[in-house]
């Protein structure tokens, strides 16, 4: 099904099932511990052995020699795979460094060996007997030091590297009010609960891997490419995923090493990346240095806005597109952005929840607050003044929907923004200095082809199959809701099977595109199935009404199941998009409001209240969507106050590589959170009229916290995370 | 993790004797620290002596009017004990500020005292660390040292002792009771239990090989207002950047011990004599020999400010 014109009334608009805050249909499996995760697939194949991964001990250089003798002789060892004996390996399209390193070492904890043994403990013990001599090379690990050597990249997504409209330099220089500030964001880790994990089994030359991956088709394709085998010979299965946040978008070492280990051992092998490897072996959100310049009239109107960003990566890696939202968020006739990429030898930087947007908004939305300060204008009002309903670079392109102003005004009223004292440091509650902050939330809506297969059987059950994944987001549920709505059956009559490369290729989970596109794909397949059914039952498919488990037209009504009386009916289709995304800018918007307390003595920062108001198209399941947003707000608090992969610039690694050292918020850090969706349907986005929400929720949160800290203390911290040591000097002692 | 042999000790004396008599043996109590370190091969004992079966899990009143806390009393139980809450509030508060509920259910009194540092370089066997591998160097010096010691450190090691409980016990003048492999017992004031790193950061306490902690004795209650304040980046489940245990008497005298600043709970009795002259004077004395890095220099003002806050609150 091609989607080329704005959606009109369709079966989804009935909202009998869609739009309801349905509990997750797979919830009971998860709460009873019976949802099978990749490392626990004892059910799928017998005789599984265990792999333990050895990561490089150096950040850059070469392996001189590896001594495997002691490890090979250790109890229970079945095989040890290194680059020496793995056979020729390719590299996935989406990997910046080989997943099995050696002799060249590209980054710290790059996998250099996997030890396979009969038990996990045996594999671990043997792995620690491997002796490797390294020749340490000179690596570059310091983004600030490499800033001036950064080059102009050719970004695969979110580009180009340079944009310009009007005459930024001249207008900025002449602007009566100017801001020129530099912000930094650190490297961040996805730090999801479930590490990358895979169980691999060979059957002849056919490989099956039960894994934890957000993008099944990408993973299968890159696996085939890495092993140099036909794609048809690789099957990936990933029905349940214990968090990914972008860290599981790609083929990673667990999949490859499980497969290589299984081949070498002649047995199925499972591999989970050990927690200490999660930080340096896998991908992370890269650090940025961002310079923002804004020129404005005294009434607050922005006349010039410029955003430059530097990030670093391995030579085949991509830049963080931190400037991308600045191109679209606020009005202003003169604009520029620039993206620069420094060559670094740290682990690969790549997507993490709202890649680019999250880091960019962390800086941009402090800058707007600083500008408001300088202008003496309320930061909510300043954002409203500079709203635009068109793409500022291409004014002929309208936003399909843009309720930023409504989000801000509605949020301000709900949050009690009028109680904020614009003068910092004025409000106190005992030892706590109180402050409020606001930031816009803004993330684009991305459209990607997505396919599904639906089957009706003689019991009237509708089964949906698609390689779409559920990364804890609620995909199972919204897909079931979509099929139930389309086929006129109750939710219990729908079965959803996900995450298998044998199923039709979906959009996968990433870039907050999963919800809208995958359900639109199911919509397409269901539309086809409705036609097949109508035909089979002798109805005119235009007039047939699918409701309450029956198909009817006029005064004739037939149970749906009858259509499958002499065999299942199957339909497969995909949603594909025309030019609407070019004609219109599709985005999601929101406003974050945060109140913090800062301890006047210790400068400890604690969030007290949070509110997000979001407008993101039709909300398919308000409960699932709310969970996404409050989870994202929580992650935003982490980004604001604690998350920091600390680089050791001498040894070339992220030092705090465990969950004790890399802090993320705990329950005690998260106070009362509230979130509201504004009414919106976006007929430009898809037949579902929905858009993404899961990444919108993180965009701007950290800046709202930072702005609240400023309001509480008068201290402007431009280097994330905002930890107490950065405030202490400037806080007066009582 | 290396393979190891394992036995359950039957009496404290037998445990100590077994530990001294077996090469490379270690006691295991809650295992919340030791097992993690064994998995990473930071600790590689060949033999484990499980002390959980020893009847050292009681809290008893002493003849002197204090409390004797068995070495195996769990942190949760100790924090909840009515006598501890009433008479040694600083200890209860410090315990509850540490780790998480689940960990405190397993963690024991002796294990908590002997837990090892949380220096990230200590945890990464690829990197130099004198404490883990004597003579290999100290990666924290010149590296990431935001958590590290600002006083009492050495050129060989700048690690901190991570315990909260021990800081409170230091303020309470607790005494560590042990049994030695030869069956003899001794009492060690907590001030003397932990060592400063010096040239041998791998030697962390004065305990001798095989010496088993049987109990921690608290002298009779000293009254006063007792506070424990732990400063950290997140609200719970994080080690202290700086912590302050304080016992303040109505006349303004008192005791203060600090955590997160040194290789051991940091208390200098002479500094307490400065209390009437104000916090600055106390801090000046506590940190007379301070030496910080760029990363952890904030701890000095933070310690002083936290101390000021605790004393102010204790006096109101
Ligand atoms: C994630 C995490 C967070 C934590 N956060 C905090 C925190 O915020 N504050 C804090 O204070 N602590 C914290 N801890 C540490 C925790 O308090 C310790 O792990 C615990 O107290 C150790 O007690 P255990 O009984 O489990 O010791 P074990 O691991 O069994 O033993 C520790 C050491 O003590 C020795 N030992 C045990 N018993 C005896 C004995 N009777 N005599 C002689 N030697 C003995 C063992 O041989 C071993 O060397 C945290 C731990 C973890 C894992
Ligand atoms: S501070 Fe101590 S524990 Fe840390 S690396 Fe240096 S020697 Fe090792």
């Amino acid at each position: 099904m091609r989607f080329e014109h704005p959606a009109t009334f369709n079966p989804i608009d009935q909202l009998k099932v869609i739009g309801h805050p349905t509990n997750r249909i797979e919830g009971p499996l998860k709460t009873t511990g019976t949802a099978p995760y990749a490392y626990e697939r004892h059910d799928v194949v017998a005789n599984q052995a265990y792999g333990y991964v050895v990561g490089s001990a150096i950040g850059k250089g070469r392996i001189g020699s590896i001594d495997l003798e002691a490890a090979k002789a250790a109890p229970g060892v079945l095989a040890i795979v290194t680059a020496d004996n793995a056979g020729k390996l390719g590299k996935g399209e989406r990997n910046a460094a080989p997943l099995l390193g050696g002799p060249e070492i590209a980054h710290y904890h790059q996998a250099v060996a996997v030890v396979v043994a009969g038990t996990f403990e045996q594999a671990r013990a043997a792995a620690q007997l491997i002796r490797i001599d390294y020749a340490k090379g000179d690596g570059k690990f310091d983004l600030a030091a490499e800033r001036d050597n950064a080059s102009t990249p050719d970004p695969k997504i979110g580009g180009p590297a340079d944009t310009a409209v009007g005459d930024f330099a001249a207008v900025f220089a002449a602007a009566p009010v100017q801001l020129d500030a530099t912000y930094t964001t650190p490297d961040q880790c996805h730090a999801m609960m479930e590490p990358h994990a895979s169980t691999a089994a060979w059957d002849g030359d056919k490989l099956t891997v039960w894994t934890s991956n957000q993008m099944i088709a990408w993973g299968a394709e890159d696996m085939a490419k890495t092993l140099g085998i036909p794609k048809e010979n690789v099957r990936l299965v990933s029905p349940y995923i214990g968090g990914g946040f972008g860290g599981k978008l790609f083929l990673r070492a667990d999949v490859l090493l499980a497969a290589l280990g299984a081949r070498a051992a002649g047995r199925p092998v499972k591999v989970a990346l050990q927690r200490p490897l999660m930080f340096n072996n896998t991908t992370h959100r890269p650090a940025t240095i961002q310079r923002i310049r804004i020129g404005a009239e005294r009434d607050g109107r922005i006349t010039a806005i410029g955003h430059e960003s530097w990030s670093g990566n391995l030579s085949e890696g991509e830049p963080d597109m931190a400037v991308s939202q600045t191109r679209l968020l606020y009005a202003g006739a003169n604009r520029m952005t620039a993206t620069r990429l420094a060559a670094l030898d740290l682990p690969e930087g790549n997507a993490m929840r709202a890649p680019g947007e999250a880091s960019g908004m962390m800086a941009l939305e402090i800058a707007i607050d600083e500008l408001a300060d300088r202008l003496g204008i309320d930061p909510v009002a300043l954002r409203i003044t500079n709203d635009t309903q068109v793409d500022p670079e291409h004014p002929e392109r309208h936003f399909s929907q843009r309720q930023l102003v409504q989000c801000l005004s509605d949020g301000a009223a709900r949050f009690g923004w009028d109680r904020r004292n614009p003068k910092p440091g004025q409000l106190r509650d005992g030892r706590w200095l109180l402050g409020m902050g606001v930031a816009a939330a803004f993330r684009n809506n991305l459209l990607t082809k997505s396919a599904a297969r639906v089957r009706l059987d003689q019991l009237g059950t509708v089964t949906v199959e698609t390689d779409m994944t559920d990364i804890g987001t609620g995909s199972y549920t919204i897909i079931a809701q979509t099929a139930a709505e389309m086929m006129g059956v109750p939710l219990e009559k729908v079965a959803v099977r996900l995450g298998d490369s044998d199923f039709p290729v979906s959009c996968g989970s990433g870039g907050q595109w999963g919800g809208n596109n995958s359900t639109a794909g199911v919509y397409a397949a269901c539309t086809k199935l409705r036609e097949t059914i109508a035909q089979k039952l002798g109805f005119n498919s235009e007039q047939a009404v699918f409701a309450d488990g029956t198909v009817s037209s006029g005064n004739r009504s037939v149970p749906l199941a009858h259509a499958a009386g002499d065999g299942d009916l199957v339909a497969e289709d995909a949603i594909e998009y025309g030019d609407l995304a070019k004609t219109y800018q599709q985005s999601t918007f929101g406003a974050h409001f945060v109140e913090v307390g800062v301890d006047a003595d210790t400068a400890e920062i604690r969030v007290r209240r949070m509110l997000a108001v979001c407008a993101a198209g039709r909300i398919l399941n308000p409960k699932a969507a709310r969970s996404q947003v409050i989870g994202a707000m929580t992650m935003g608090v982490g980004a604001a106050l604690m998350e920091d992969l600390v680089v050791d610039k001498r040894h070339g690694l992220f030092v705090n590589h465990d969950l004790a050292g890399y802090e993320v918020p705990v329950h005690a850090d998260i106070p009362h959170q509230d979130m509201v969706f504004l009414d919106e349907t976006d007929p430009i986005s898809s037949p579902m009229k929905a858009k993404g929400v899961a990444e919108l929720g993180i965009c701007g949160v950290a800046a709202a916290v930072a702005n609240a800290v400023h309001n509480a203390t008068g201290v402007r911290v431009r280097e994330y995370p905002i930890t107490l040591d950065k405030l202490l000097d400037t806080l007066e002692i009582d | 993790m290396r393979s190891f042999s394992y036995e359950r000790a039957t009496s404290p004396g037998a445990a100590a004797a077994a530990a001294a008599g077996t090469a490379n043996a270690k006691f295991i109590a809650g295992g919340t620290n030791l097992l993690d370190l064994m998995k990473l091969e930071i600790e590689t004992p060949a033999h484990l002596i499980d002390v959980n079966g020893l009847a050292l899990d009681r809290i008893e009143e002493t003849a002197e009017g204090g409390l004797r806390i068995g070495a195996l009393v769990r942190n949760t139980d100790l924090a909840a004990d009515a006598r501890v809450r009433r008479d040694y509030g600083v200890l209860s508060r410090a315990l509850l500020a540490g780790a998480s509920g689940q960990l405190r259910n397993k963690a024991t009194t002796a294990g908590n005292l002997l837990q090892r540092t949380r220096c990230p370089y200590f945890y990464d066997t690829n990197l130099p660390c004198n404490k883990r591998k004597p003579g290999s160097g100290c990666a924290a010096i010149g590296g990431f040292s935001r958590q590290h010691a600002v006083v009492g450190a050495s050129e060989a090691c700048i690690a901190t002792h991570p315990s909260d409980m021990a800081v409170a016990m230091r303020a309470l003048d607790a005494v560590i009771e042990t049994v030695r492999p030869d069956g003899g017992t001794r009492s060690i004031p907590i001030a003397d239990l932990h060592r400063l790193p010096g040239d041998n950061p791998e030697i962390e306490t004065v305990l001798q090989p095989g010496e088993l902690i049987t109990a921690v004795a608290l002298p009779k209650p000293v009254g006063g207002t007792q506070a424990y304040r732990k400063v950290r980046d997140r609200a719970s489940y994080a080690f202290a950047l700086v912590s302050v245990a304080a016992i303040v008497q109505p006349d303004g005298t008192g005791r203060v011990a600090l955590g997160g600043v040194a290789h051991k709970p940091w208390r200098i009795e002479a500094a307490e004599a400065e209390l009437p002259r104000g916090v600055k004077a106390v801090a000046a004395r506590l940190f007379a020999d301070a030496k910080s890095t760029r990363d952890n220099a904030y701890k000095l003002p933070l310690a002083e400010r936290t101390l000021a806050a605790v004393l102010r609150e204790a006096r109101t």
Side-chain angles (χ1 to χ4, degrees):
Chain A
M1 174 185 288
R2 281 193 68 78
F3 182 72
E4 309 203 66
H5 306 288
T8 52
F9 186 83
N10 68 43
I12 295 296
D13 293 313
Q14 301 173 95
L15 301 183
K16 287 185 187 160
V17 198
I18 285 288
H20 293 247
T22 310
N23 286 338
R24 291 180 187 207
I25 60 172
E26 86 290 12
L29 289 179
K30 289 180 174 168
T31 50
T32 56
T34 47
Y37 286 86
Y39 202 67
E40 303 156 352
R41 295 310 299 262
H42 314 286
D43 56 319
V44 289
V45 51
N47 204 25
Q48 297 176 14
Y50 293 77
Y52 193 88
V53 181
V54 179
S56 164
I58 60 169
K60 178 79 184 165
R62 280 180 71 83
I63 292 177
S65 63
I66 306 189
D67 178 357
L68 299 178
E69 288 317 307
K72 276 188 186 157
V77 172
L78 301 167
I80 302 177
V81 181
T82 67
D84 284 340
N85 63 10
K88 190 172 172 314
L89 293 178
K91 187 162 71 58
E93 202 62 51
R94 301 164 186 86
N95 295 132
L99 298 177
L100 179 60
E104 293 302 322
I105 295 300
H107 62 85
Y108 194 77
H109 275 174
Q110 182 182 25
V112 294
V114 62
V115 179
V116 180
T119 69
F120 172 78
E121 288 74 15
Q122 288 172 330
R124 179 174 60 192
Q128 285 158 323
L129 294 173
I130 294 179
R131 293 287 160 262
I132 304 181
D133 278 335
Y134 293 95
K136 225 171 152 175
D138 285 334
K140 297 191 172 76
F141 307 113
D142 185 346
L143 175 62
E146 294 305 317
R147 173 177 167 165
D148 292 339
N149 302 326
S151 60
T152 305
D154 183 12
K156 281 200 198 121
I157 44 165
D162 291 290
T163 65
V165 174
D167 187 349
F168 170 79
V171 176
F172 175 73
V177 180
Q178 298 171 356
L179 174 82
D180 180 351
T182 297
Y183 307 85
T184 62
T185 63
D187 296 284
Q188 293 176 349
C189 179
H190 310 87
M192 60 287 203
M193 279 299 265
E194 183 202 30
H196 295 81
S198 293
T199 302
W202 289 90
D203 180 5
D205 56 2
K206 292 213 179 336
L207 171 69
T208 304
V209 188
W210 294 267
T211 186
S212 181
N213 187 290
Q214 301 174 226
M215 299 291 295
I216 300 302
W218 289 2
E221 187 182 307
D222 274 349
M223 185 61 178
K225 186 157 183 245
T226 306
L227 290 175
I229 62 175
K231 214 174 111 185
E232 309 78 70
N233 289 1
V234 176
R235 179 171 169 222
L236 291 195
V237 187
S238 183
Y240 297 101
I241 296 160
F245 306 119
K248 292 175 181 165
L249 287 170
F250 317 108
L251 177 78
R252 296 302 312 173
D254 58 308
V255 191
L256 178 64
L257 297 180
L260 293 175
R263 188 153 75 184
R267 273 171 70 169
V269 167
K270 57 163 83 176
V271 172
L273 292 185
Q274 303 96 258
R275 184 64 67 182
L277 289 184
M278 286 294 294
F279 300 77
N280 286 282
N281 177 278
T282 72
T283 57
H284 64 278
R285 186 199 299 285
T288 64
I289 301 171
Q290 302 180 45
R291 180 186 187 200
I292 296 181
R293 284 173 292 170
I294 309 178
E297 296 295 331
R298 294 204 187 280
D299 64 4
R301 274 179 303 119
I302 294 173
T303 52
I305 184 160
H307 192 164
E308 297 153 83
S309 173
W310 292 259
S311 61
N313 216 331
L314 292 166
S315 59
E316 291 184 44
E318 291 282 305
D320 184 271
M321 296 307 293
V323 304
S324 56
Q325 298 310 76
T326 305
R327 297 174 58 193
L328 290 162
L329 187 49
Y330 296 115
N334 303 282
R335 340 177 46 94
M336 65 81 65
T337 70
T339 298
R340 296 293 177 266
L341 180 61
L344 291 183
D345 298 299
L346 289 169
E348 179 183 353
N350 210 319
M352 176 167 147
R353 202 172 199 165
E357 287 85 358
S359 18
M361 295 289 282
M362 284 169 83
L364 176 63
E365 288 298 284
I366 297 184
I368 295 292
D369 204 65
E370 295 204 55
L371 181 66
D373 244 16
R374 273 178 208 200
L375 289 160
I377 295 178
D378 179 86
V380 170
L382 179 65
R383 287 178 171 88
I384 292 174
T385 300
N386 288 291
D387 186 50
T388 171
Q389 292 294 319
V390 297
D391 171 352
E393 289 179 6
H394 307 98
E396 69 286 358
R397 273 182 92 221
H398 283 254
F399 283 91
S400 61
Q401 300 271 356
R402 176 166 163 134
Q403 297 203 68
L404 175 61
V405 169
Q406 292 82 341
C407 291
L408 285 161
S409 320
D410 187 84
R414 288 171 190 269
F415 198 69
W417 182 252
D418 55 347
R419 294 202 304 273
R420 171 181 178 269
N421 190 329
K423 192 159 171 245
Q426 302 303 302
L427 215 64
R428 263 192 101 131
D429 173 12
R431 64 181 227 230
W432 296 99
L433 303 166
L434 302 189
M436 289 190 207
V438 64
F442 175 36
R443 172 67 163 116
N444 296 334
N445 184 55
L446 306 176
L447 300 179
T448 322
K449 180 178 173 185
S450 192
R453 183 159 59 218
V454 279
R455 174 190 311 270
L456 174 71
D457 67 19
Q458 55 183 353
L459 298 174
T461 301
V462 177
T463 302
V464 185
E465 291 174 334
T466 161
D467 84 352
M468 177 60 188
T469 49
D470 188 322
I471 55 176
T473 38
S475 309
Y476 278 103
T477 312
I478 57 173
I479 284 174
Q481 287 175 281
T482 304
E485 193 81 76
M486 289 298 292
M487 304 312 299
V489 297
L491 212 52
E492 306 75 61
K493 280 287 191 190
V494 181
V496 180
R497 302 178 62 201
L498 299 182
D500 188 326
S501 58
D502 279 354
F503 298 155
V505 175
S506 72
C507 56
S509 297
Q512 78 168 10
W513 63 58
N516 178 49
N517 294 289
S518 72
T519 53
V522 174
Y523 172 96
C526 286
T527 303
K528 212 171 195 177
L529 184 63
R530 284 164 62 115
E531 283 161 14
T532 313
I533 291 169
Q535 225 167 42
K536 180 100 188 171
L537 296 177
F539 286 104
N540 175 333
S541 65
E542 298 283 295
Q543 281 151 21
V545 175
F546 289 71
D548 307 322
T550 63
V551 190
S552 47
S553 180
N555 47 19
R556 183 167 164 250
S557 177
V558 183
L560 185 68
H562 283 194
D566 50 2
D568 292 1
L569 294 183
V570 182
E572 182 174 331
D573 200 3
I575 190 83
E576 292 178 79
Y577 297 93
D579 280 343
L580 284 175
K582 292 205 187 91
T583 332
Y584 293 91
Q585 174 59 39
Q586 296 188 23
S587 301
T588 59
F589 294 88
H592 289 290
F593 293 83
V594 173
E595 182 180 304
V596 301
V598 179
D599 189 298
D601 297 302
T602 63
E604 284 166 289
I605 304 162
R606 301 288 181 256
V607 175
R608 299 194 142 203
R609 276 193 309 138
M610 301 182 82
L611 167 70
V613 178
C614 300
R618 169 174 284 153
I619 301 305
L620 303 174
N621 180 328
K623 191 169 193 175
R626 177 179 188 277
S627 294
Q628 284 304 300
V629 174
I630 63 174
M633 289 158 74
T634 303
M635 215 162 176
V637 171
L641 299 180
M642 58 195 88
E643 291 189 44
D644 186 0
L645 279 173
V646 178
V647 181
D648 186 308
K649 293 166 191 144
R650 307 158 307 168
H651 297 285
L653 75 152
F654 299 126
V655 189
N656 48 339
H657 52 65
D658 58 32
L659 289 176
Y662 186 83
E663 290 183 10
V664 298
V666 294
H667 283 94
D669 291 300
I670 301 302
H672 186 70
Q673 281 183 330
D674 205 357
M675 82 86 32
V676 175
F677 288 111
L678 298 186
D679 270 344
E680 184 175 301
T681 46
D682 194 336
I684 308 291
S685 72
S686 80
M688 303 303 294
K689 305 175 186 173
K691 293 187 286 202
V693 297
E695 298 193 342
L696 175 67
I698 193 175
C699 293
V701 179
V705 175
N707 297 338
V709 169
H710 176 261
N711 184 240
T713 62
V715 185
R716 186 65 79 177
V717 179
R718 299 186 184 85
E719 291 175 11
Y720 289 100
I722 307 169
T723 45
L724 57 89
D725 44 305
K726 295 172 186 167
L727 296 176
L728 211 53
D729 287 355
T730 32
L731 277 195
E732 275 175 34
I733 304 189
D734 290 286
Chain B
M1 188 187 266
R2 306 252 176 101
S3 10
F4 54 87
S5 50
Y6 171 88
E7 72 174 282
R8 288 202 178 89
T10 49
S11 74
T22 322
N24 199 6
K26 275 204 100 86
F27 302 119
I28 181 162
T32 59
N33 191 222
L34 183 59
L35 286 176
D36 282 359
L37 295 170
M38 286 171 64
K39 289 173 190 168
L40 296 166
E41 295 202 0
I42 295 161
E43 299 258 25
T44 52
H47 184 67
L48 285 188
I49 300 165
D50 187 337
V51 296
N52 284 288
L54 304 181
L56 299 174
D57 55 355
R58 266 159 288 212
I59 306 172
E60 296 158 355
E61 279 146 43
T62 63
E64 296 77 35
L67 282 184
R68 173 172 290 106
I69 304 159
L72 286 163
V73 173
R74 308 287 154 174
N75 287 179
T76 299
D77 298 330
L78 183 57
D81 185 273
R83 294 160 294 184
V84 173
R85 289 167 52 116
R86 185 186 63 221
D87 297 330
Y88 307 96
V90 64
L91 178 57
S92 189
R93 293 192 175 99
L95 283 160
L96 293 175
S100 67
Q102 293 91 331
L103 283 159
R104 294 194 296 269
N105 288 343
K106 284 299 277 181
T108 63
T109 306
N112 191 318
L113 284 172
L114 299 183
Q115 64 174 295
R116 308 202 65 191
T117 186
R118 291 282 163 173
C119 169
Y121 296 99
F122 177 70
Y123 271 83
D124 189 332
T125 49
N126 294 324
L127 300 173
C129 169
N130 288 323
K131 188 184 276 298
R132 177 169 34 76
K133 194 172 175 204
S136 62
C138 169
I141 296 175
F144 174 49
S145 53
R146 185 167 180 269
Q147 310 276 351
H148 288 71
V150 288
V151 69
S154 70
E155 296 294 311
C157 177
I158 58 171
T160 55
H161 192 270
S163 171
D164 292 296
M165 181 195 81
V167 180
M169 286 184 171
R170 179 70 180 89
L172 291 166
D173 281 331
V175 175
I176 316 303
E177 298 181 354
T178 70
V179 56
R180 292 203 253 189
D182 64 4
T185 60
R186 66 166 170 159
S187 297
I188 308 165
I190 190 169
D192 301 335
L193 176 70
H194 297 103
R195 295 176 71 254
L196 289 178
D199 292 335
N200 297 95
E202 74 282 9
I203 306 173
E204 293 170 347
T205 68
V206 299
L207 296 181
Q208 286 164 8
E211 190 167 1
L212 177 83
I213 296 179
T214 51
V216 174
L218 301 180
K220 77 178 193 325
V222 294
T225 301
Q226 305 199 357
Y228 188 78
R229 180 78 185 275
K230 181 174 178 180
V231 181
R232 41 191 159 174
D233 290 322
R234 64 180 175 191
S236 163
Y237 203 30
F239 291 95
L241 299 172
V242 161
S243 70
V244 173
I247 303 172
V248 181
Q249 302 298 343
D251 65 3
T253 63
R255 304 174 181 183
V256 291
L258 276 73
V261 295
H263 202 250
K264 59 191 285 187
W266 196 246
R267 178 176 171 202
I268 295 179
E269 278 76 352
E272 291 160 5
E274 304 283 344
L275 274 169
R277 269 180 291 281
V279 170
K280 277 226 168 312
V282 179
R285 199 66 197 258
L286 278 171
F287 295 111
D289 300 316
K291 186 165 177 247
S292 58
T293 66
R294 200 199 50 188
D295 283 357
N296 70 12
Y298 75 94
K299 283 194 177 185
L300 293 168
L302 179 62
E304 183 177 327
R305 295 169 71 125
T306 310
L307 192 57
V310 168
L311 294 175
R312 192 176 63 232
E313 277 162 39
R315 284 173 182 148
T316 50

